Amino acid sequence: MPQIQQLSPHVADLIAAGEVVERPASVAKELLENAIDAGASAIVTEIERGGLTYLRITDNGCGIAPQQLPTAFLRHATSKLRTADDLAAIGTLGFRGEALAAISAVSHVDIFSRERESETGAMLHLDGGVAGEVTDTGCPEGTTICVRDLFFNTPARMKFMKKDSAEGSAVTGIVTHLALSHPDISFKLLRDGAEVLHTPGDGQLLSAIYAAMGRDFARSLLPVHGCGGEISVEGFITQPLSGHGTRGKQVFFVNGRFVKSQLLAAALEEAYRNRMLKGKFPGCVLHITLPTTQVDVNVHPAKTVVKFLSDRAVFDAVYHTVLDALDHDKMPPAKKTEPSFYQKMTVTEFREKTAEVEKKPLGSYVSRPVMPVKPGVSPETPVDKPLYLHDVSVDKPKTFTAPTAKTGVSYEITPPAKKAEPITLPEPEQVTMEAKKEAPWRIVGEVLKTYIICEDEGGAMYLIDKHAAHERIRFDKLKESTEPLMAQMLLMPIAVTLSDEEYSIVLENFDTLREFGFACEDFGGSTVLLREIPADILTGDAAATVEELAQKLVLGRADPAGARDELLHTMACKSAIKAGMTTDRSEMAALVEKVQSGEIQYCPHGRPVCVRLTQYEIEKMFKRA
Ligand code: ADP
Ligand code: MG
């Protein structure tokens, strides 16, 4: 008969460790959250081999008193939770009081800590959770925790670890998300000695995005703020023309916690419907804040799932806020028409500026030489690394300012880039015009029977894709209209033969087709007869249009709302003036006026309708500038 025994505390710790300490990234998350809770304004994370052999986190927070060091590593030891009631109003990130116990149970830990305003600090070493003696030592204010050889005593767990690179990326993900949810804290991450991230901690979300997600991404953003009831939505979203190939750049936080949520992604993407190319996804960094009573706080704190009391309310808040931001972008404030980064400078200034960037040494963004050994750290201390401790308070990258300009954001750059960018021709801008009383653009003519060329009085040239522009106008009109489309009777009906699936769905949707101006009749044998067609569709296009509508009806079975827009796309496209067709002057003038007014920007598929080239950009092409 097996004997029932109480587990030894050590084994119990190992089991508990399984819950919190899944992989290096979960260790990093717990330790970083502790540093944040300790009020740090700068936190450095260093990892080697994905964090498996070495993971060190240094903060400049409140520190831990020497006599409290061993206590912090006891199970259920926490300074953050006193009663069960506190649980309901949890403000800090960690609240289980077992992270340090669990982490130290499966690794070798060194902790150095000095309280603010204390003369000296103290250090403690633990092996597999067994603590040594606390010794006084000199160290910077704040706490440094170094975790080595994670899972050295739990080989079973070790087996689950992915390649070092995957573990390292998971740690990078954690640091990135915390940096984006705490723009007021400077985060730095060194991976095998190389700096991979360094945020300035200047309190600006955009600065954190710039440093954590890259310059190109940061430059493509539009600001978002709004709320629906008690749900506030703040942050940045990509401009419709800067879509990404995946959803990887969608980052959501709910009450400061990074979450993965299909609901939030769907709300975001729905707002871009008809503005973004098919197969492209918007990126974002959005902070959603709502009363704690409206989110389920009981989901596992280490997990990234979230449950809302009302999915609908959250969806609507995100959808409408994003939609507003996108619509607002159509009618930009006067600031947006200021000259761009390039135009603001003379050629000489531009050259000098770029040369400066090239000359500049790696600069403040790059890892500074490590701090010298601090006095008082005894060489016997069981750390086999060069013994240095960061003083993170003096280790911040410079801040940059990010004034908004025409393309959303342009930077007065304190160059965070490691190497200077080559001077490339600026991308022609897509135009966002204010509705202003300016002189109408002069229509120079048309090229390739597709593009209308115009110029304004300020020395800029515009290329307008006439089909795309007209398609957008048609689409908006169709979408607004409540009347069925004007139809014309045909002298001879047109027969359209369809696949079985298309045929049966067309039979079910005669009414919808009638709204679009098609009067159809069942002819049997998978064929329908068109008796009337919309007035602005060429007779020769009618059959192809019905086939396309039928295909879209089939595809859209699952999503009727989306299907309707798809049908409108087809109608707009087929009734719009076409590339390759000659367009008369008055038609051109009408299109140009709409584009100049800023009313239309993208075709319904998300392609730009107009690009703008400034005199300076043209002169650059000819090497005159
Ligand atoms: P919890 O964070 O849930 O309280 P932990 O095991 O993570 O539990 O930490 C235990 C305690 O150790 C914390 O409550 C806090 O008082 C202290 N502590 C941990 N890390 C730090 C740190 N970086 N700076 C200051 N105090 C810390
Ligand atoms: Mg904690």
Side-chain angles (χ1 to χ4, degrees):
M1 253 254 262
Q3 282 249 312
I4 300 174
Q5 278 182 337
Q6 199 184 11
L7 294 174
S8 74
H10 173 65
V11 176
D13 277 349
L14 287 183
I15 292 171
E19 290 169 20
V20 191
V21 189
E22 229 179 317
R23 56 194 298 198
S26 41
V27 174
K29 179 162 184 280
E30 295 291 339
L31 298 182
L32 286 165
E33 289 180 344
N34 281 349
I36 294 167
D37 287 346
S41 63
I43 307 174
V44 179
T45 306
E46 294 153 276
I47 57 169
E48 276 166 28
R49 291 211 37 212
L52 281 163
T53 55
Y54 185 81
L55 190 160
R56 184 165 82 157
I57 296 193
T58 305
D59 69 56
N60 63 353
C62 63
I64 306 172
Q67 69 279 12
Q68 295 256 295
L69 276 180
T71 322
F73 288 86
L74 298 178
R75 285 205 66 195
H76 305 298
T78 173
S79 57
K80 296 165 198 170
L81 182 67
R82 305 265 175 251
T83 67
D85 289 346
D86 291 347
L87 261 180
I90 228 79
T92 54
L93 296 163
F95 56 85
R96 290 149 303 142
E98 58 187 49
L100 291 186
I103 292 164
S104 63
V106 291
S107 65
H108 304 293
V109 171
D110 289 292
I111 181 165
F112 301 81
S113 197
R114 174 151 76 98
E115 287 188 290
R116 287 184 190 150
E117 276 133 44
S118 173
E119 295 273 292
T120 54
M123 69 94 47
L124 175 68
H125 177 80
L126 299 97
D127 279 306
V130 182
E133 291 291 309
V134 176
T135 45
D136 283 352
T137 177
C139 57
E141 272 182 11
T143 304
T144 298
I145 298 192
C146 179
V147 177
R148 283 176 302 125
D149 302 325
L150 192 61
F151 305 128
F152 78 98
N153 53 355
T154 51
R157 166 63 55 182
M158 194 66 200
K159 274 208 304 247
F160 289 110
M161 289 304 108
K162 304 216 173 81
K163 281 208 187 96
D164 296 353
S165 58
E167 296 303 329
S169 302
V171 174
T172 307
I174 295 287
V175 179
T176 303
H177 296 149
L178 287 171
L180 293 174
S181 51
H182 297 85
D184 49 335
I185 300 176
S186 166
F187 285 84
K188 176 151 128 174
L189 172 64
L190 296 164
R191 218 170 138 174
D192 297 311
E195 181 177 299
V196 291
L197 177 151
H198 196 176
T199 63
D202 62 357
Q204 303 292 316
L205 176 58
L206 194 56
S207 310
I209 295 175
Y210 186 102
M213 300 178 76
R215 167 198 165 104
D216 287 347
F217 181 68
R219 291 188 67 147
S220 73
L221 297 175
L222 297 172
V224 170
H225 9 222
C227 59
E230 294 180 294
I231 305 165
S232 101
V233 183
E234 299 279 329
F236 293 89
I237 54 171
T238 24
Q239 291 171 349
L241 287 176
S242 310
H244 302 277
T246 68
R247 295 194 168 86
K249 289 214 153 52
Q250 298 180 356
V251 183
F252 296 99
F253 298 94
V254 171
N255 289 349
R257 189 176 283 280
F258 170 77
V259 298
K260 286 188 184 137
S261 159
Q262 284 183 358
L263 177 87
L264 296 175
L268 172 79
E269 286 170 26
E270 186 62 26
Y272 281 80
R273 193 190 275 273
N274 302 320
R275 296 183 206 237
M276 187 162 270
L277 284 174
K278 269 233 149 65
K280 291 280 182 194
F281 299 94
C284 71
V285 177
L286 285 180
H287 283 274
I288 292 114
T289 316
L290 69 176
T292 41
T293 48
Q294 296 191 27
V295 233
D296 187 351
V297 285
N298 278 328
V299 284
H300 194 295
K303 296 272 152 60
T304 52
V305 287
V306 64
K307 270 202 205 137
F308 300 109
L309 199 64
S310 164
D311 281 351
R312 185 80 238 172
V314 174
F315 183 97
D316 285 350
V318 173
Y319 170 73
H320 288 292
T321 310
V322 172
L323 200 62
D324 274 358
L326 292 171
D327 283 344
H328 187 71
D329 184 44
K330 272 191 181 178
M331 253 93 54
K335 229 177 157 186
K336 283 213 141 194
T337 50
E338 274 175 10
S340 75
F341 175 65
Y342 299 97
Q343 291 168 274
K344 260 188 287 192
M345 287 181 274
T346 65
V347 181
T348 347
E349 278 168 350
F350 179 77
R351 286 223 181 96
E352 278 168 7
K353 190 120 190 151
T354 352
E356 242 171 64
V357 175
E358 269 160 18
K359 278 204 304 264
K360 215 160 192 140
L362 294 180
S364 51
Y365 253 75
V366 172
S367 189
R368 291 172 338 107
V370 291
M371 298 296 291
V373 178
K374 293 276 167 175
V377 179
S378 89
E380 293 82 38
T381 322
V383 183
D384 59 11
K385 309 283 311 165
L387 257 175
Y388 59 84
L389 296 172
H390 287 286
D391 185 351
V392 287
S393 56
V394 295
D395 197 24
K396 289 194 182 189
K398 268 202 199 147
T399 303
F400 59 91
T401 54
T404 44
K406 193 134 187 288
T407 42
V409 189
S410 96
Y411 295 92
E412 303 295 335
I413 300 166
T414 307
K418 300 210 171 166
K419 63 176 196 262
E421 308 236 321
I423 305 175
T424 50
L425 194 65
E427 288 264 314
E429 290 170 38
Q430 204 237 315
V431 184
T432 48
M433 280 295 118
E434 259 188 294
K436 48 189 176 260
K437 292 141 243 102
E438 268 175 23
W441 292 345
R442 185 175 78 84
I443 300 175
V444 179
E446 194 184 354
V447 279
L448 305 171
K449 289 191 176 165
T450 305
Y451 306 101
I452 305 169
I453 301 177
C454 305
E455 71 174 339
D456 69 13
E457 288 184 327
M461 176 186 135
Y462 303 85
L463 275 173
I464 299 172
D465 179 331
K466 70 177 181 184
H467 173 73
H470 195 216
E471 192 176 346
R472 180 80 222 189
I473 295 170
R474 296 286 312 144
F475 179 80
D476 288 348
K477 217 175 182 147
L478 287 169
K479 202 157 172 170
E480 271 163 29
S481 146
T482 47
E483 302 282 299
L485 283 190
M486 190 110 101
Q488 59 181 358
M489 287 266 277
L490 294 173
L491 288 175
M492 287 273 290
I494 299 170
V496 188
T497 304
L498 302 160
S499 73
D500 287 351
E501 208 181 9
E502 290 163 2
Y503 174 64
S504 62
I505 206 156
V506 162
L507 296 191
E508 286 164 30
N509 282 281
F510 273 177
D511 287 348
T512 310
L513 291 167
R514 154 73 64 196
E515 263 180 65
F516 289 149
F518 292 99
C520 311
E521 221 172 74
D522 183 9
F523 189 66
S526 288
T527 300
V528 290
L529 291 183
L530 306 182
R531 293 277 178 196
E532 288 174 28
I533 64 168
D536 50 12
I537 279 188
L538 297 175
T539 322
D541 274 346
T545 308
V546 170
E547 278 170 31
E548 197 175 308
L549 292 173
Q551 282 157 15
K552 290 188 168 175
L553 283 167
V554 171
L555 290 174
R557 243 192 259 266
D559 169 22
R564 195 169 168 82
D565 275 354
E566 284 297 325
L567 299 180
L568 294 177
H569 281 174
T570 301
M571 294 306 296
C573 178
K574 299 289 182 190
S575 64
I577 51 174
K578 297 197 173 34
M581 274 174 22
T582 327
T583 307
D584 73 39
R585 258 332 237 222
S586 62
E587 263 181 312
M588 275 195 225
L591 281 178
V592 170
E593 197 192 313
K594 287 269 190 198
V595 174
Q596 187 180 0
S597 76
E599 222 175 288
I600 52 170
Q601 291 194 298
Y602 319 102
C603 84
H605 307 285
R607 284 194 298 272
V609 151
C610 178
V611 294
R612 171 182 195 258
L613 282 171
T614 62
Q615 186 174 1
Y616 177 68
E617 286 159 352
I618 297 169
E619 284 173 356
K620 255 174 81 85
M621 289 190 233
F622 290 102
K623 311 274 181 228
R624 278 166 166 275

